[in-house]
Amino acid sequence: MLTTWLFIAGGLVQSLAPSLNIVIVARTIIGVASGASTVLVPIYLGELAPPNLRGVMGTMTQFALVIGILFADLIGFILANPTGWRYMFFLTTALAFFQLLLTPFLLESPRWLLGRKANSNKARFIIKKLRGFRYDEEVETEVEHYLSASKTQSLEADSDSSSSGGNSKNPMIEMFQDKKVRLLVISTLVLQVANQFSGINAVFYYSGLFFDGVIENPLVGTTLMGAINVLATYVALLLMDRCGRRTLIMWSSAGMF
């Protein structure tokens, strides 16, 4: 909800900006909201989704993201001009306000609630609503799954803390000190950084310049690229659980190479 308000504020400032410097300030506000929501939404969906749909629900964030990029490209045909750009920027506020209207339908994460209070009635009510359970026994079985997973994590954390002398440390530092997961953590970070440095963001943001002089309307090239991105994400969505995450990453990395 906080990031939604940042989107609303940033969009308003951006659409009413009297100068380019104000636009940059507004883009910074929207950038903070974008970065935060990109991290929060997959975690939230992962904690709400049943185990068999967790991967698909997490990928839906990326699917929504690429659809949004394509939507922006299509809107550009109408509003990316000297008279319509303010209306185009105002769409950020309009969509965020629509998101704000939908927030009453958002449920708190039952995992988060149970992590703070194991006998939380609110968590049990949300689980019943999410899963469509009819009987309390079904709800309690799901609660046990959450609590067992949380207990296992706590025991592992206590074990790591004891082996390191019992000092409470920053979780990030602990991950780098744990030889069992250190390489995995580094690999994950490298994968994310490499994804940014591969140049895909530059292609999206400056595709108009790339296609300028190559085709008559550069926006057509940008839109085609956005459409291919949506298609590729949808294919990955279908193949995610069939082919495995690692296999798909390796094939897509080879394609980028």
Side-chain angles (χ1 to χ4, degrees):
M1 288 180 72
L2 285 171
T3 59
T4 301
W5 281 109
L6 285 177
F7 277 122
I8 290 172
L12 277 174
V13 173
Q14 186 177 234
S15 58
L16 299 173
S19 68
L20 183 59
N21 287 335
I22 302 299
V23 172
I24 292 170
V25 170
R27 295 298 292 176
T28 304
I29 295 170
I30 293 170
V32 171
S34 297
S37 59
T38 303
V39 174
L40 291 168
V41 172
I43 295 172
Y44 175 68
L45 288 175
E47 293 193 359
L48 290 184
N52 62 318
L53 293 177
R54 199 160 288 155
V56 174
M57 291 298 287
T59 314
M60 287 302 291
T61 310
Q62 181 65 19
F63 192 46
L65 206 154
V66 295
I67 288 174
I69 293 171
L70 179 60
F71 173 73
D73 292 335
L74 293 171
I75 288 295
F77 281 101
I78 305 169
L79 298 176
N81 55 61
T83 57
W85 65 271
R86 289 187 185 274
Y87 297 106
M88 185 170 65
F89 281 166
F90 184 73
L91 280 173
T92 301
T93 298
L95 289 170
F97 183 73
F98 179 65
Q99 186 173 307
L100 193 68
L101 293 178
L102 293 175
T103 50
F105 297 100
L106 294 177
L107 300 170
E108 186 56 85
S109 161
R111 184 187 297 273
W112 188 84
L113 290 170
L114 290 169
R116 278 144 188 78
K117 188 179 178 183
N119 60 348
S120 170
N121 289 324
K122 185 178 180 181
R124 284 162 173 78
F125 171 77
I126 289 172
I127 290 170
K128 194 170 187 177
K129 191 170 184 178
L130 276 173
R131 303 288 184 263
F133 290 148
R134 296 176 60 189
Y135 305 108
D136 291 341
E137 292 81 2
E138 295 174 302
V139 175
E140 289 305 320
T141 300
E142 187 83 0
V143 168
E144 281 303 314
H145 290 158
Y146 280 118
L147 294 177
S148 296
S150 179
K151 188 177 180 181
T152 301
Q153 289 176 342
S154 298
L155 288 172
E156 288 176 353
D158 291 341
S159 175
D160 291 339
S161 178
S162 299
S163 62
S164 61
N167 296 322
S168 179
K169 295 181 180 178
N170 185 293
M172 181 64 74
I173 295 172
E174 286 184 359
M175 283 195 295
F176 279 108
Q177 289 181 340
D178 189 343
K179 293 180 181 179
K180 292 182 291 184
V181 297
R182 184 189 300 158
L183 186 59
L184 181 61
V185 173
I186 293 171
S187 300
T188 305
L189 291 172
V190 169
L191 188 67
Q192 292 291 339
V193 173
N195 186 42
Q196 300 299 314
F197 283 155
S198 68
I200 187 61
N201 287 342
V203 172
F204 277 124
Y205 296 146
Y206 301 104
S207 56
L209 295 175
F210 293 162
F211 288 117
D212 192 23
V214 180
I215 56 177
E216 186 177 347
N217 186 354
L219 194 53
V220 173
T222 303
T223 305
L224 283 172
M225 198 168 56
I228 292 168
N229 201 20
V230 171
L231 181 63
T233 306
Y234 180 65
V235 170
L237 200 68
L238 297 177
L239 297 175
M240 185 70 67
D241 293 314
R242 190 179 304 170
C243 298
R245 277 77 161 162
R246 185 179 182 278
T247 303
L248 290 174
I249 288 172
M250 296 299 288
W251 276 101
S252 59
S253 297
M256 285 191 287
F257 179 76

